[in-house]
Amino acid sequence: MLIHPWDAPGDDAEWQEWLAAHDFGQLAVNGTAGEPPWVQPLHFAYDPARREAVTHLARPNPIWSALLDSPTVLLSVVDDYTFIPGPWQAGEDQPPEHGVPTSFYAAVQLRCTAHVVDDPEAKAALLQRQLAHFQPDGGSAPVAAEAAPYGRQLPGIRGLRLEVLDVRAKFKYGGKRSEAVQHRISARLAERDGPGDAAARRHQQRRLTAAGGSAPTASRSHGTR
């Protein structure tokens, strides 16, 4: 993933706060010889204190042999994306039709060492961590290796601890554009108000302010959404 200086996070807190609100991604695993990479969509729970993400997959999943052969994996998370038409991006001294279309998005990639968890007690503890993350209000029975309802189902899954080795993050929201052009894009996003536009606009305004620019005014942006 190419990360220009103007798309890089301002500090670790920026990507950490974003990732805390995003717990679904794609796990990319190198394929075995002659095979393409495996890409597995999945929910995960990220623990910043332990610098690891935990998840699980069904035992029949064909990804296991490739993962055991090459345990260095990439967990990729992308969201808050939208398409920016070319005229929105035109410089102040350019005709609108000379503007270049682009995409706005946020992305975090965790390069990890995958540790397969097969011990029943360890799997139960891992699943309990996931439940605590996704169901903080409870409502499900505790996960225990020897107890119903989950104990007899544990052999059908394998757990994964993804030990984080490195993090790459990108917030591509027009940071290379002039403040005036960014205000224009923000206004157009508010007007269009399509899927992803509000989240992209919030990121754009937040990063513009952090860079020392002024946030778009209500009159410029036609209000916040």
Side-chain angles (χ1 to χ4, degrees):
M1 178 170 65
L2 173 65
I3 305 174
H4 291 296
W6 51 83
D7 296 330
D11 53 27
D12 286 344
E14 184 173 7
W15 69 260
Q16 289 170 349
E17 290 172 6
W18 184 85
L19 188 62
H22 293 81
D23 45 28
F24 191 88
Q26 293 185 312
L27 183 67
V29 179
N30 287 323
T32 53
E35 295 291 333
W38 292 92
V39 180
Q40 173 65 51
L42 46 69
H43 271 109
F44 63 90
Y46 176 66
D47 186 337
R50 301 189 192 189
R51 283 188 62 84
E52 71 175 16
V54 293
T55 187
H56 67 279
L57 295 169
R59 186 171 289 275
N61 194 305
I63 202 172
W64 293 113
S65 58
L67 192 149
L68 291 170
D69 186 59
S70 182
T72 300
V73 301
L74 191 74
L75 180 58
S76 176
V77 186
V78 180
D79 203 358
D80 301 339
Y81 55 86
T82 195
F83 176 75
I84 305 299
W88 296 12
Q89 289 235 113
E92 296 134 284
D93 59 348
Q94 290 181 305
E97 61 269 22
H98 287 191
V100 179
T102 193
S103 300
F104 279 4
Y105 62 87
V108 172
Q109 295 180 346
L110 307 179
R111 184 169 65 90
C112 308
T113 298
H115 302 276
V116 179
V117 179
D118 276 328
D119 175 77
E121 296 288 346
K123 275 195 292 188
L126 183 149
L127 289 174
Q128 192 60 51
R129 288 172 62 187
Q130 285 192 267
L131 270 179
H133 171 78
F134 288 106
Q135 292 184 209
D137 296 331
S140 294
V143 184
E146 303 298 333
Y150 304 115
R152 64 183 179 82
Q153 299 174 351
L154 286 178
I157 66 166
R158 305 180 87 177
L160 267 180
R161 283 194 312 104
L162 302 174
E163 175 190 359
V164 178
L165 305 174
D166 182 47
V167 180
R168 291 175 59 76
K170 181 173 183 174
F171 293 88
K172 185 175 181 291
Y173 292 102
K176 68 179 292 186
R177 303 295 171 186
S178 69
E179 187 173 332
V181 172
Q182 291 194 57
H183 285 317
R184 179 204 300 148
I185 295 172
S186 183
R188 298 296 181 268
L189 287 169
E191 290 171 356
R192 186 173 68 182
D193 197 23
D197 286 348
R201 185 169 178 270
R202 285 194 296 271
H203 283 300
Q204 184 200 37
Q205 293 184 29
R206 172 181 59 77
R207 287 176 61 81
L208 178 59
T209 302
S214 60
T217 63
S219 58
R220 274 174 170 160
S221 63
H222 301 268
T224 56
R225 304 211 179 204

